[in-house]
Amino acid sequence: KLRTWNVYGRCIMNHFIKQSPITGLAGFGGGSSGLTVSGSAAGPVWYGNRVTVGGGYWNNGSGQAYTSVDISYYDITTSSNAADFGDMSRTNRPMDARASNGVRGVHCGGYSAATGTEDDVIDYITFATTSNATDFGDMTQVSTWVGGSDGSRAVIQGAHCNPCGSPWYTDTINYFSIDTTGNASDFGNQDIPRYSMGGCGEGIYGFSCGGHRPSRTDHVSRLVIQTTGDSTGYSELSVPRNNMSSTCGSTGRVLTSGGYTGSYSDIIDYFETENDSAASDFGDMIDDLSQAMMANNGTKASFNGGYNAGGGAYHLYIQYVDFDTTGNATDAGDLWTSNSVGIAGSGANSGNAS
């Protein structure tokens, strides 16, 4: 009995082989030698071991928030502090949407310090090369919040949208190919318009989690990345919250973390990508945090920076959990910033260092 696997490592078909020799193929009930069968299923490519954390905002201690252009990076397989990678193409506030194809990371929209509102800019970095971000193109509308990919197509969902007027958010979903620079196209609409969400892509599906519309919600939406159309309702978080973060691993599991429930939260919960049951408790972060943006390498997830009300504190935390085992996060080091103070709402991404 042979199983055929798709490029995302999922079994899609079973084949039954008659138990008699197959001419020319060794190892299947006999037969001659001389024909080599080799190869393996391609793994997912929307992440890697190098994590980059770019943009965000920080506080100088006087109560004034500043936007940041810093990009820092680190290896998610080690416990160490981050280093300087380069600069964003423009100052960027919470929460720009981000996506990866393993080679290139894109950052989409966010808050523009130059205009005082959200923008439609897409820029990108190459993970293996430490340097400044480069302009990629534009989205169809200003955007923030949720991005993800299947390793080829990026899908960007929803936004806080000051230029849109009341109720100040949009249900627009954009998409584009990460491999080729250019502008985004319209994908469809969110089933429930909202902003301040978490979300990610995991090879087949894209998710948007929680958010504000205008009150906090536990709603989880799902879409199929390689189609176009509207998202649909899928699951519920363990508690309604906004200003959170999410990440998708290779094990069919989505993690969501922190945010604001009426107070700052250390919650980590999870749900399965092929099972629409409600989210379950995973563990806790090391602190109550909102906008501690997440990245992963398929098996390990990291939480980066974050904000809470303790003196208006911004943090440099790098925290880790393993996808396959529930439990609390572990402190692994600090982010790098040029101002040497904490950061929140940064776009976190991951890809390959070589």
Side-chain angles (χ1 to χ4, degrees):
K1 180 178 179 179
L2 298 179
R3 291 184 172 90
T4 298
W5 300 83
N6 68 10
V7 295
Y8 307 110
R10 292 178 178 162
C11 182
I12 58 175
M13 187 178 298
N14 292 326
H15 303 279
F16 292 86
I17 306 268
K18 183 179 179 181
Q19 291 184 343
S20 60
I22 301 175
T23 303
L25 184 58
F28 289 88
S32 66
S33 61
L35 179 60
T36 301
V37 178
S38 62
S40 61
V45 290
W46 64 90
Y47 52 68
N49 287 334
R50 174 169 284 184
V51 174
T52 60
V53 182
Y57 67 111
W58 58 280
N59 191 304
N60 66 354
S62 65
Q64 176 65 48
Y66 293 88
T67 54
S68 171
V69 298
D70 296 332
I71 307 173
S72 63
Y73 75 102
Y74 60 89
D75 186 332
I76 198 171
T77 65
T78 66
S79 294
S80 62
N81 294 335
D84 182 22
F85 185 96
D87 292 336
M88 302 286 287
S89 67
R90 79 278 189 233
T91 53
N92 199 42
R93 212 194 129 172
M95 301 185 2
D96 67 323
R98 64 274 177 214
S100 167
N101 66 357
V103 175
R104 176 180 284 180
V106 292
H107 291 249
C108 309
Y111 184 88
S112 168
T115 64
T117 189
E118 297 82 15
D119 68 27
D120 61 0
V121 173
I122 307 170
D123 61 12
Y124 75 97
I125 55 115
T126 301
F127 288 107
T129 306
T130 56
S131 63
N132 295 338
T134 303
D135 182 63
F136 184 100
D138 297 323
M139 290 177 291
T140 64
Q141 187 172 355
V142 300
S143 187
T144 55
W145 310 114
V146 174
S149 87
D150 60 359
S152 175
R153 173 183 283 189
V155 177
I156 311 302
Q157 303 186 55
H160 189 276
C161 181
N162 279 309
C164 299
S166 180
W168 317 111
Y169 50 83
T170 174
D171 63 358
T172 300
I173 305 173
N174 279 201
Y175 76 98
F176 57 90
S177 171
I178 302 175
D179 297 333
T180 306
T181 58
N183 296 333
S185 300
D186 182 61
F187 183 98
N189 302 106
Q190 288 184 298
D191 61 323
I192 298 179
R194 60 203 195 278
Y195 66 97
S196 189
M197 304 165 288
C200 56
E202 59 79 63
I204 296 176
Y205 302 113
F207 297 90
S208 59
C209 309
H212 209 273
R213 62 164 311 266
S215 59
R216 284 177 291 276
T217 178
D218 63 1
H219 186 70
V220 176
S221 303
R222 189 176 77 170
L223 55 79
V224 179
I225 294 174
Q226 282 297 331
T227 65
T228 56
D230 299 342
S231 64
T232 58
Y234 179 72
S235 183
E236 297 83 34
L237 302 176
S238 61
V239 62
R241 62 196 198 270
N242 64 300
N243 279 350
M244 51 185 289
S245 185
S246 303
T247 195
C248 296
S250 65
T251 60
R253 178 173 284 186
V254 177
L255 301 185
T256 70
S257 67
Y260 193 76
T261 65
S263 59
Y264 293 94
S265 172
D266 64 359
I267 293 171
I268 308 170
D269 59 11
Y270 73 98
F271 60 88
E272 307 296 337
T273 61
E274 300 282 1
N275 180 347
D276 60 1
S277 60
S280 301
D281 181 60
F282 185 96
D284 298 325
M285 294 191 291
I286 64 174
D287 203 349
D288 300 323
L289 297 168
S290 72
Q291 301 177 21
M293 308 311 293
M294 296 182 70
N296 79 89
N297 70 345
T299 57
K300 179 180 284 188
S302 68
F303 315 82
N304 299 280
Y307 171 85
N308 58 26
Y314 296 75
H315 298 281
L316 291 171
Y317 300 136
I318 301 172
Q319 308 172 58
Y320 291 153
V321 296
D322 292 322
F323 270 101
D324 285 339
T325 57
T326 58
N328 296 335
T330 300
D331 187 11
D334 291 329
L335 297 173
W336 177 92
T337 62
S338 59
N339 51 57
S340 300
V341 299
I343 198 82
S346 304
N349 234 338
S350 71
N352 300 313
S354 61

